[in-house]
Each structure stands twice: as structure tokens, then as C-alpha cells.
Amino acid sequence: MTKDAPRVLLVEDDKPLRATLAATFKAEGYAVVEAGSVTSAKQRLGEYSVDLAILDLGLPDQDGLTLLADMRTRGDLTPIIVLTARDDEASKVRALDLGADDYVTKPFGVAELLARARSALRHGIQVRGAAPVVRTGHLEIDLSRRVVTRAGELVKLSRKEFDLLAELALNIGKPVPHERLLEAVWGSVDADIRYLRVYIGQLREKVEIDPQGPTLISADAGYGYRLNQL
Ligand code: CA
């Protein structure tokens, strides 16, 4: 184990699942810290600095959302991926609103979780380093110069189109709620959500290779949009 291995905190009370996840993350070169309850997760967070947390919501002592809220209230910006049950839409939305970076619905494939983990870690590093240039697939977004290129070619965006793309880019890999996008681009959460759909359509026309089969900008139905890290 190298000193630079990212450390992941696994909070999950299902022991066989936790053991599988621990083995998977270790095999990928992560250092792993485990907890089976909110109380034990808090202890671990006191003992170790972690780079990423995987948080199950159904825990024996308290709701995982309690831990999430507690960490964010303390200003702890560690990327957090929440594990939710398929039928629990409300908890998922709540977790994102409380500051979770991403969610994975059970049952999930470990490859998907690992991909989300890499994306969340990159985002965590970007938050700390405030990278002014965001790259994904064939797209490059220079946030400070307000310049966007697609496969090296300059993309002409209107001011609002750029503002929308920039808000997505600042949260790359994470779903951004409709309200936050409306606020960022139109200055009000009460702006008409139909504007948002129109502008997302325009952006896709300009940045996607195939606007009919978009891979860069995806919709999280009923929640928001995300710029995928490709
Ligand atoms: Ca559980």
C-alpha cells in the first residue's frame, strides 16, 4: 500500500456486502476503512482522514442521512456516494439535497460503483484544486476563459448556454438539481423549467457527437442534469 492510496470509508451493515466491497476497493489500490453503523463511522472519521465515503442509508443505529447531514454541517466536503434501495426515491433526493455527491441503487455492479468512486474522487480533487479547465470525452471547458472546444474546434455558445454548461462542469459527474441550474443561469429558482429543457437541447446540439443519443449531458428524471465524466 503506497502512502498516496486514496482512503475510502465503507459504511454498510450488511457484512457480506461490506466484505465484498472492501476486497474490491483494496484490489483497485484503495486503502479501506470499514464501519457498520453511524456511531462507528463517526469514530472512524475521527481516527482517519478519508478521501471518499460509501454510505448505506439503512443502518442499525441511525439513518445514514444523519451522518451525511452531520458531515456537511461540519464543513466536511469528503465526496460521499450513497447506496439506496431501488424503491426509495425520496431518500435519494434527500441525500443529494443534503450534499451527497452521487448515489448508486442496490443491487448494483461493483464496476459501476468503482466508476462512480473514481468520478467522485476526481471531483473532490477539483474542488480542492479548483481546476479551471474541465475535460470530458472530446469536450474541453475552460471555465476562467469561458472557452469551449469540441475535438479541438471552438464551440460558439450563447452566454446562457455557457453558464449552464459551466454549472454542470463545476459539478462534473454529479447530478445538479433543476433549481440550482435555474438559479445559476436565470438567477431565480422560479424560472420556467421549460427554458432549461430548451437550453439543454441546444447545448446537446452543440457539444454532443450525436445529439439524439447524448452521452455527455444526461438527465436524472425528476431531479436534474449531469455532465458525465467520460
Ligand atoms: Ca443496510
Side-chain angles (χ1 to χ4, degrees), residues 12-14 56-60 106:
E12 169 61 71
D13 60 322
D14 178 335
D56 180 35
L57 294 186
L59 293 164
K106 289 181 177 180

Side-chain angles (χ1 to χ4, degrees), residues 132-134 140-149 162:
V133 179
V134 175
E140 186 171 298
I141 304 150
D142 187 326
L143 293 168
S144 52
R145 289 169 57 227
R146 296 179 69 91
V147 171
V148 176
T149 56
F162 181 86

